[in-house]
Amino acid sequence: MIEIVSVKRDTQVKNEMRLEFKAISENEAFARTAVAAFVTQLNPTLEEISDIKTAVSEAVTNAIIHGYEGMENYDNRVWLSCFIKNDVLDVEVRDSGVGIENIEKAMQPLFTTKPQLDRSGMGFSFMEAFMDDLEVISEPGHGTSVHMVKKLGTASWIEEE
Ligand SMILES: Nc1ncnc2c1ncn2[C@@H]1O[C@H](COP(=O)(O)OP(=O)(O)O)[C@@H](O)[C@H]1O
Ligand SMILES: [Mg+2]
């Protein structure tokens, strides 16, 4: 099973939470709201909250409609993990769906394998634009892990550097 969150078991991780939910579209709003609630402890700006919600939403939607191809099997699950380390939020969205054959191609703006579903092909581009780091790991036939990092409160972040 794919798991890439390297900050795991890191003693510097101040807080963490994990969720597992059924891969159905009703849970897209739940997932983004849960992450938004979790990051309030970092006193994010409204813009930061909006960026994080958009990115989480795109990743969870992808897991549901691409990873599991929209099928509502009982076993189709999405795993969401969040870690806070200093002023940095680390989010991982993972599925055990079909996986991605060519990640580089999939991440190109406007690329979509589901044009018939009115997909814009901009999901990964939004994740990249709204977060500070994006890493996608996938194994065809086994699933996909999308790892995103957002640095909050840029001022204090620079001070620490
Ligand atoms: N979790 C996933 N599992 C399988 N394929 C994925 C996953 N996420 C993204 N993809 C692939 O990457 C492509 C691009 O994703 P994205 O940029 O979000 O555009 P869109 O969702 O509009 O197609 C998708 O069309 C799909 O082929
Ligand atoms: Mg998408």
Side-chain angles (χ1 to χ4, degrees):
M1 188 164 277
I2 297 169
E3 199 162 9
I4 57 148
V5 176
S6 51
V7 290
K8 219 173 53 174
R9 289 189 200 90
D10 185 330
T11 51
Q12 285 188 48
V13 171
K14 195 166 68 181
N15 201 356
E16 83 174 73
M17 72 94 164
R18 290 155 197 262
L19 290 174
E20 177 184 311
F21 51 86
K22 245 183 113 158
I24 54 175
S25 59
E26 286 86 337
N27 283 329
E28 288 163 17
F30 165 67
R32 66 171 175 261
T33 307
V35 177
F38 184 69
V39 297
T40 54
Q41 60 197 286
L42 290 178
N43 296 316
T45 62
L46 289 177
E47 191 183 350
E48 286 167 338
I49 295 174
S50 163
D51 290 353
I52 292 164
K53 284 172 90 172
T54 303
V56 169
S57 211
E58 291 293 339
V60 171
T61 303
N62 280 354
I64 296 168
I65 65 161
H66 300 301
Y68 298 117
E69 303 188 296
M71 287 186 300
E72 284 195 22
N73 292 344
Y74 178 79
D75 288 335
N76 290 353
R77 302 283 157 144
V78 178
W79 294 272
L80 172 69
S81 313
C82 290
F83 300 87
I84 287 174
K85 189 175 171 179
N86 296 321
D87 288 339
V88 179
L89 171 75
D90 227 284
V91 187
E92 190 205 23
V93 176
R94 187 163 51 88
D95 65 68
S96 61
V98 296
I100 304 173
E101 291 282 349
N102 186 336
I103 295 174
E104 208 184 314
K105 199 168 158 192
M107 290 178 77
Q108 281 169 6
L110 302 175
F111 177 86
T112 181
T113 49
K114 294 227 174 352
Q116 73 278 16
L117 291 185
D118 261 343
R119 306 308 307 169
S120 66
M122 292 301 287
F124 281 128
S125 303
F126 290 152
M127 291 180 233
E128 220 156 23
F130 293 130
M131 302 296 268
D132 293 303
D133 197 25
L134 169 66
E135 187 185 12
V136 181
I137 293 180
S138 190
E139 232 181 282
H142 292 278
T144 300
S145 167
V146 174
H147 185 203
M148 300 180 280
V149 176
K150 179 86 173 169
K151 296 168 189 168
L152 290 106
T154 318
S156 64
W157 175 258
I158 290 167
E159 220 170 284
E160 265 179 47
E161 297 250 295

PDB file of all heavy atoms in Angstrom, residues 23-43:
ATOM      1  N   ALA A  23     -15.596   6.596  -0.493  1.00  0.00           N
ATOM      2  CA  ALA A  23     -15.307   7.392  -1.684  1.00  0.00           C
ATOM      3  C   ALA A  23     -16.590   7.781  -2.411  1.00  0.00           C
ATOM      4  O   ALA A  23     -16.882   7.289  -3.499  1.00  0.00           O
ATOM      5  CB  ALA A  23     -14.379   6.619  -2.611  1.00  0.00           C
ATOM      6  N   ILE A  24     -17.344   8.681  -1.792  1.00  0.00           N
ATOM      7  CA  ILE A  24     -18.554   9.191  -2.443  1.00  0.00           C
ATOM      8  C   ILE A  24     -18.520  10.721  -2.401  1.00  0.00           C
ATOM      9  O   ILE A  24     -17.923  11.305  -1.490  1.00  0.00           O
ATOM     10  CB  ILE A  24     -19.859   8.661  -1.783  1.00  0.00           C
ATOM     11  CG1 ILE A  24     -19.887   8.942  -0.290  1.00  0.00           C
ATOM     12  CG2 ILE A  24     -20.019   7.165  -2.046  1.00  0.00           C
ATOM     13  CD1 ILE A  24     -21.190   8.561   0.387  1.00  0.00           C
ATOM     14  N   SER A  25     -19.157  11.329  -3.397  1.00  0.00           N
ATOM     15  CA  SER A  25     -19.004  12.776  -3.571  1.00  0.00           C
ATOM     16  C   SER A  25     -19.493  13.583  -2.361  1.00  0.00           C
ATOM     17  O   SER A  25     -19.005  14.688  -2.120  1.00  0.00           O
ATOM     18  CB  SER A  25     -19.702  13.237  -4.841  1.00  0.00           C
ATOM     19  OG  SER A  25     -21.067  12.900  -4.767  1.00  0.00           O
ATOM     20  N   GLU A  26     -20.415  13.012  -1.588  1.00  0.00           N
ATOM     21  CA  GLU A  26     -20.899  13.693  -0.378  1.00  0.00           C
ATOM     22  C   GLU A  26     -19.739  14.014   0.569  1.00  0.00           C
ATOM     23  O   GLU A  26     -19.833  14.928   1.388  1.00  0.00           O
ATOM     24  CB  GLU A  26     -21.917  12.825   0.385  1.00  0.00           C
ATOM     25  CG  GLU A  26     -23.273  12.733  -0.260  1.00  0.00           C
ATOM     26  CD  GLU A  26     -23.376  11.631  -1.316  1.00  0.00           C
ATOM     27  OE1 GLU A  26     -22.335  11.214  -1.874  1.00  0.00           O
ATOM     28  OE2 GLU A  26     -24.519  11.204  -1.588  1.00  0.00           O
ATOM     29  N   ASN A  27     -18.672  13.246   0.478  1.00  0.00           N
ATOM     30  CA  ASN A  27     -17.564  13.435   1.420  1.00  0.00           C
ATOM     31  C   ASN A  27     -16.532  14.465   0.959  1.00  0.00           C
ATOM     32  O   ASN A  27     -15.601  14.760   1.699  1.00  0.00           O
ATOM     33  CB  ASN A  27     -16.889  12.095   1.711  1.00  0.00           C
ATOM     34  CG  ASN A  27     -17.724  11.271   2.675  1.00  0.00           C
ATOM     35  OD1 ASN A  27     -18.416  11.830   3.528  1.00  0.00           O
ATOM     36  ND2 ASN A  27     -17.681   9.957   2.539  1.00  0.00           N
ATOM     37  N   GLU A  28     -16.709  15.027  -0.245  1.00  0.00           N
ATOM     38  CA  GLU A  28     -15.775  16.058  -0.699  1.00  0.00           C
ATOM     39  C   GLU A  28     -15.863  17.288   0.206  1.00  0.00           C
ATOM     40  O   GLU A  28     -14.847  17.807   0.672  1.00  0.00           O
ATOM     41  CB  GLU A  28     -16.087  16.462  -2.147  1.00  0.00           C
ATOM     42  CG  GLU A  28     -15.708  15.377  -3.152  1.00  0.00           C
ATOM     43  CD  GLU A  28     -16.376  15.567  -4.514  1.00  0.00           C
ATOM     44  OE1 GLU A  28     -16.878  16.684  -4.794  1.00  0.00           O
ATOM     45  OE2 GLU A  28     -16.377  14.594  -5.277  1.00  0.00           O
ATOM     46  N   ALA A  29     -17.070  17.731   0.469  1.00  0.00           N
ATOM     47  CA  ALA A  29     -17.257  18.899   1.324  1.00  0.00           C
ATOM     48  C   ALA A  29     -16.832  18.592   2.759  1.00  0.00           C
ATOM     49  O   ALA A  29     -16.212  19.424   3.433  1.00  0.00           O
ATOM     50  CB  ALA A  29     -18.716  19.345   1.294  1.00  0.00           C
ATOM     51  N   PHE A  30     -17.141  17.368   3.190  1.00  0.00           N
ATOM     52  CA  PHE A  30     -16.746  16.960   4.539  1.00  0.00           C
ATOM     53  C   PHE A  30     -15.225  17.037   4.695  1.00  0.00           C
ATOM     54  O   PHE A  30     -14.709  17.592   5.670  1.00  0.00           O
ATOM     55  CB  PHE A  30     -17.233  15.539   4.837  1.00  0.00           C
ATOM     56  CG  PHE A  30     -16.581  14.929   6.039  1.00  0.00           C
ATOM     57  CD1 PHE A  30     -16.822  15.442   7.311  1.00  0.00           C
ATOM     58  CD2 PHE A  30     -15.693  13.866   5.900  1.00  0.00           C
ATOM     59  CE1 PHE A  30     -16.198  14.902   8.427  1.00  0.00           C
ATOM     60  CE2 PHE A  30     -15.063  13.324   7.015  1.00  0.00           C
ATOM     61  CZ  PHE A  30     -15.309  13.844   8.275  1.00  0.00           C
ATOM     62  N   ALA A  31     -14.504  16.496   3.701  1.00  0.00           N
ATOM     63  CA  ALA A  31     -13.039  16.433   3.789  1.00  0.00           C
ATOM     64  C   ALA A  31     -12.426  17.836   3.834  1.00  0.00           C
ATOM     65  O   ALA A  31     -11.568  18.124   4.662  1.00  0.00           O
ATOM     66  CB  ALA A  31     -12.479  15.640   2.607  1.00  0.00           C
ATOM     67  N   ARG A  32     -12.882  18.717   2.939  1.00  0.00           N
ATOM     68  CA  ARG A  32     -12.248  20.051   2.914  1.00  0.00           C
ATOM     69  C   ARG A  32     -12.580  20.851   4.170  1.00  0.00           C
ATOM     70  O   ARG A  32     -11.769  21.613   4.682  1.00  0.00           O
ATOM     71  CB  ARG A  32     -12.581  20.816   1.631  1.00  0.00           C
ATOM     72  CG  ARG A  32     -14.017  21.199   1.439  1.00  0.00           C
ATOM     73  CD  ARG A  32     -14.191  22.144   0.248  1.00  0.00           C
ATOM     74  NE  ARG A  32     -15.601  22.387   0.041  1.00  0.00           N
ATOM     75  CZ  ARG A  32     -16.355  21.761  -0.860  1.00  0.00           C
ATOM     76  NH1 ARG A  32     -15.802  20.864  -1.663  1.00  0.00           N
ATOM     77  NH2 ARG A  32     -17.633  22.027  -0.968  1.00  0.00           N
ATOM     78  N   THR A  33     -13.802  20.640   4.696  1.00  0.00           N
ATOM     79  CA  THR A  33     -14.192  21.356   5.909  1.00  0.00           C
ATOM     80  C   THR A  33     -13.426  20.826   7.119  1.00  0.00           C
ATOM     81  O   THR A  33     -13.032  21.587   8.003  1.00  0.00           O
ATOM     82  CB  THR A  33     -15.714  21.195   6.137  1.00  0.00           C
ATOM     83  OG1 THR A  33     -16.379  21.583   4.940  1.00  0.00           O
ATOM     84  CG2 THR A  33     -16.202  22.053   7.278  1.00  0.00           C
ATOM     85  N   ALA A  34     -13.186  19.522   7.137  1.00  0.00           N
ATOM     86  CA  ALA A  34     -12.443  18.912   8.246  1.00  0.00           C
ATOM     87  C   ALA A  34     -11.017  19.449   8.296  1.00  0.00           C
ATOM     88  O   ALA A  34     -10.501  19.795   9.359  1.00  0.00           O
ATOM     89  CB  ALA A  34     -12.436  17.384   8.096  1.00  0.00           C
ATOM     90  N   VAL A  35     -10.394  19.564   7.122  1.00  0.00           N
ATOM     91  CA  VAL A  35      -9.020  20.079   7.090  1.00  0.00           C
ATOM     92  C   VAL A  35      -9.015  21.555   7.494  1.00  0.00           C
ATOM     93  O   VAL A  35      -8.155  22.001   8.260  1.00  0.00           O
ATOM     94  CB  VAL A  35      -8.370  19.885   5.698  1.00  0.00           C
ATOM     95  CG1 VAL A  35      -6.975  20.498   5.660  1.00  0.00           C
ATOM     96  CG2 VAL A  35      -8.292  18.405   5.348  1.00  0.00           C
ATOM     97  N   ALA A  36     -10.002  22.301   7.003  1.00  0.00           N
ATOM     98  CA  ALA A  36     -10.086  23.725   7.364  1.00  0.00           C
ATOM     99  C   ALA A  36     -10.232  23.887   8.876  1.00  0.00           C
ATOM    100  O   ALA A  36      -9.592  24.746   9.493  1.00  0.00           O
ATOM    101  CB  ALA A  36     -11.264  24.376   6.644  1.00  0.00           C
ATOM    102  N   ALA A  37     -11.049  23.028   9.487  1.00  0.00           N
ATOM    103  CA  ALA A  37     -11.239  23.094  10.943  1.00  0.00           C
ATOM    104  C   ALA A  37      -9.940  22.744  11.666  1.00  0.00           C
ATOM    105  O   ALA A  37      -9.575  23.369  12.662  1.00  0.00           O
ATOM    106  CB  ALA A  37     -12.358  22.146  11.369  1.00  0.00           C
ATOM    107  N   PHE A  38      -9.239  21.774  11.138  1.00  0.00           N
ATOM    108  CA  PHE A  38      -7.994  21.334  11.773  1.00  0.00           C
ATOM    109  C   PHE A  38      -6.925  22.432  11.751  1.00  0.00           C
ATOM    110  O   PHE A  38      -6.173  22.593  12.708  1.00  0.00           O
ATOM    111  CB  PHE A  38      -7.483  20.064  11.075  1.00  0.00           C
ATOM    112  CG  PHE A  38      -6.261  19.465  11.704  1.00  0.00           C
ATOM    113  CD1 PHE A  38      -6.324  18.867  12.961  1.00  0.00           C
ATOM    114  CD2 PHE A  38      -5.044  19.494  11.047  1.00  0.00           C
ATOM    115  CE1 PHE A  38      -5.190  18.305  13.546  1.00  0.00           C
ATOM    116  CE2 PHE A  38      -3.904  18.929  11.618  1.00  0.00           C
ATOM    117  CZ  PHE A  38      -3.974  18.338  12.876  1.00  0.00           C
ATOM    118  N   VAL A  39      -6.864  23.200  10.656  1.00  0.00           N
ATOM    119  CA  VAL A  39      -5.798  24.213  10.558  1.00  0.00           C
ATOM    120  C   VAL A  39      -6.105  25.500  11.317  1.00  0.00           C
ATOM    121  O   VAL A  39      -5.229  26.360  11.408  1.00  0.00           O
ATOM    122  CB  VAL A  39      -5.415  24.599   9.093  1.00  0.00           C
ATOM    123  CG1 VAL A  39      -4.858  23.425   8.349  1.00  0.00           C
ATOM    124  CG2 VAL A  39      -6.559  25.241   8.354  1.00  0.00           C
ATOM    125  N   THR A  40      -7.295  25.638  11.875  1.00  0.00           N
ATOM    126  CA  THR A  40      -7.605  26.895  12.583  1.00  0.00           C
ATOM    127  C   THR A  40      -6.598  27.152  13.700  1.00  0.00           C
ATOM    128  O   THR A  40      -6.327  28.294  14.040  1.00  0.00           O
ATOM    129  CB  THR A  40      -9.029  26.905  13.186  1.00  0.00           C
ATOM    130  OG1 THR A  40      -9.177  25.740  13.998  1.00  0.00           O
ATOM    131  CG2 THR A  40     -10.085  26.934  12.114  1.00  0.00           C
ATOM    132  N   GLN A  41      -6.020  26.089  14.266  1.00  0.00           N
ATOM    133  CA  GLN A  41      -5.031  26.254  15.345  1.00  0.00           C
ATOM    134  C   GLN A  41      -3.775  26.999  14.878  1.00  0.00           C
ATOM    135  O   GLN A  41      -3.006  27.472  15.693  1.00  0.00           O
ATOM    136  CB  GLN A  41      -4.647  24.896  15.907  1.00  0.00           C
ATOM    137  CG  GLN A  41      -4.039  23.963  14.868  1.00  0.00           C
ATOM    138  CD  GLN A  41      -4.040  22.508  15.318  1.00  0.00           C
ATOM    139  OE1 GLN A  41      -3.266  22.126  16.169  1.00  0.00           O
ATOM    140  NE2 GLN A  41      -4.943  21.711  14.773  1.00  0.00           N
ATOM    141  N   LEU A  42      -3.590  27.118  13.558  1.00  0.00           N
ATOM    142  CA  LEU A  42      -2.435  27.859  13.034  1.00  0.00           C
ATOM    143  C   LEU A  42      -2.819  29.301  12.677  1.00  0.00           C
ATOM    144  O   LEU A  42      -2.018  30.022  12.089  1.00  0.00           O
ATOM    145  CB  LEU A  42      -1.879  27.159  11.782  1.00  0.00           C
ATOM    146  CG  LEU A  42      -1.181  25.813  12.001  1.00  0.00           C
ATOM    147  CD1 LEU A  42      -0.742  25.223  10.663  1.00  0.00           C
ATOM    148  CD2 LEU A  42       0.027  25.962  12.918  1.00  0.00           C
ATOM    149  N   ASN A  43      -4.040  29.704  13.070  1.00  0.00           N
ATOM    150  CA  ASN A  43      -4.533  31.053  12.747  1.00  0.00           C
ATOM    151  C   ASN A  43      -4.340  31.423  11.286  1.00  0.00           C
ATOM    152  O   ASN A  43      -3.741  32.456  10.964  1.00  0.00           O
ATOM    153  CB  ASN A  43      -3.839  32.104  13.631  1.00  0.00           C
ATOM    154  CG  ASN A  43      -4.184  31.904  15.079  1.00  0.00           C
ATOM    155  OD1 ASN A  43      -5.354  31.664  15.420  1.00  0.00           O
ATOM    156  ND2 ASN A  43      -3.183  31.953  15.935  1.00  0.00           N
TER     157      ASN A  43
END
